[in-house]
C-alpha cells in the first residue's frame, strides 16, 4: 500500500472539538505531497488538527484562492502543451472536480507522508507551512507572471508527477455524509 497525501474540502475548519460537518473528497496522491496540493492550500494557509490522526498535522486554506492559483498555473503550463490531449483531459477533469466539490476551505491531510521519515511529523508540517508551500506559491506566481519560464518548462516535462493526482468523490480515507 502506498503512503498518500489526502485533500478534502469543507465549509468549516477542523477543530480540536470536532471535524467539519460535511467533508468532501478532492484528491489523493501516492508517496508525496504534489505541487498541485501545495498550491491548493497556498492561500490563507494554517495548521489545523488532523481529521484522521492525533497530532496537529492538518493544513487548511482558502478554497477559492487556492483553486484560482492552480487554474492559473495549469493555464500557464498548458501554454507549452497545446497538442497534449492527455494534459488537456487532466486539466478538464481536475477543474470539473474542483468545481463540483467546492467548499470554503481545503484541508490537506499529511500524516502518511510526514510519517515516512524519522523527522517529527509536527515539525515537518510546520516546515511545509512556513517554507515549502510559500516557496511553491511564489514560484507559481512568478511563472504565471512570465518570470520563470525555465520552471514552467520543467513542469511541462514532468506534469503527471505534479498535477495528475487521483481526483474522486471517494478516497482511501472518506468521511460519512
Amino acid at each position: 500500500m502506498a503512503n498518500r497525501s489526502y485533500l478534502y474540502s469543507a465549509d468549516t475548519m477542523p477543530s480540536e472539538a470536532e471535524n467539519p460537518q460535511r467533508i468532501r473528497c478532492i484528491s489523493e496522491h501516492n508517496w508525496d505531497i504534489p505541487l498541485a496540493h501545495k498550491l491548493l492550500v497556498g492561500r490563507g494557509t494554517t495548521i489545523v488538527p488532523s481529521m484522521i490522526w492525533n497530532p496537529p498535522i492538518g493544513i487548511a486554506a482558502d478554497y477559492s484562492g487556492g483553486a484560482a492559483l492552480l487554474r492559473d498555473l495549469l493555464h500557464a503550463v498548458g501554454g507549452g502543451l497545446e497538442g497534449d490531449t492527455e494534459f488537456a483531459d487532466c486539466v478538464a477533469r481536475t477543474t470539473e472536480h474542483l468545481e463540483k466539490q467546492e467548499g470554503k476551505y481545503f484541508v490537506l491531510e499529511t500524516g502518511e507522508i510526514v510519517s515516512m521519515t524519522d523527522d517529527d511529523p509536527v515539525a515537518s508540517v510546520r516546515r511545509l507551512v512556513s517554507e515549502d508551500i510559500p516557496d511553491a506559491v511564489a514560484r507559481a506566481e512568478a511563472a504565471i507572471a512570465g518570470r520563470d519560464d525555465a520552471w514552467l518548462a520543467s513542469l511541462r516535462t514532468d506534469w503527471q508527477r505534479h498535477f495528475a493526482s487521483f481526483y474522486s468523490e471517494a478516497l482511501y480515507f472518506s468521511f460519512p455524509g
Side-chain angles (χ1 to χ4, degrees):
M1 178 174 92
N3 286 2
R4 302 172 179 99
S5 58
Y6 302 95
L7 188 66
Y8 304 93
S9 69
D11 295 324
T12 59
M13 287 190 196
S15 69
E16 289 188 28
E18 64 184 4
N19 284 342
Q21 292 296 312
R22 184 168 178 240
I23 302 166
R24 294 171 288 284
C25 296
I26 301 291
S27 173
E28 64 186 33
H29 192 90
N30 291 343
W31 302 115
D32 196 11
I33 300 171
L35 176 61
H37 285 186
K38 290 176 184 174
L39 296 178
L40 289 169
V41 296
R43 300 286 192 222
T45 311
T46 189
I47 296 172
V48 296
S50 172
M51 300 182 300
I52 302 170
W53 297 279
N54 285 330
I57 55 174
I59 300 172
D62 173 65
Y63 193 99
S64 62
L69 179 61
L70 179 61
R71 278 192 307 270
D72 290 347
L73 183 62
L74 289 172
H75 180 15
V77 169
L81 295 171
E82 292 88 353
D84 189 329
T85 57
E86 188 180 351
F87 178 76
D89 289 345
C90 175
V91 171
R93 283 190 314 273
T94 300
T95 302
E96 179 183 325
H97 191 68
L98 290 174
E99 289 171 1
K100 180 179 170 191
Q101 299 294 88
E102 186 174 356
K104 186 172 181 180
Y105 301 101
F106 280 112
V107 181
L108 178 62
E109 288 290 348
T110 63
E112 290 182 15
I113 301 301
V114 298
S115 297
M116 290 188 332
T117 68
D118 289 334
D119 296 339
D120 173 28
V122 173
S124 294
V125 169
R126 279 193 212 117
R127 200 169 30 261
L128 270 167
V129 168
S130 67
E131 297 172 22
D132 298 351
I133 292 169
D135 290 350
V137 168
R139 200 92 198 250
E141 289 172 340
I144 292 163
R147 295 188 315 266
D148 200 340
D149 291 338
W151 190 60
L152 274 179
S154 73
L155 294 178
R156 290 178 184 123
T157 301
D158 196 14
W159 66 263
Q160 293 91 344
R161 181 170 69 95
H162 301 292
F163 306 115
S165 299
F166 176 72
Y167 287 84
S168 176
E169 292 180 35
L171 304 179
Y172 184 78
F173 282 105
S174 294
F175 296 87

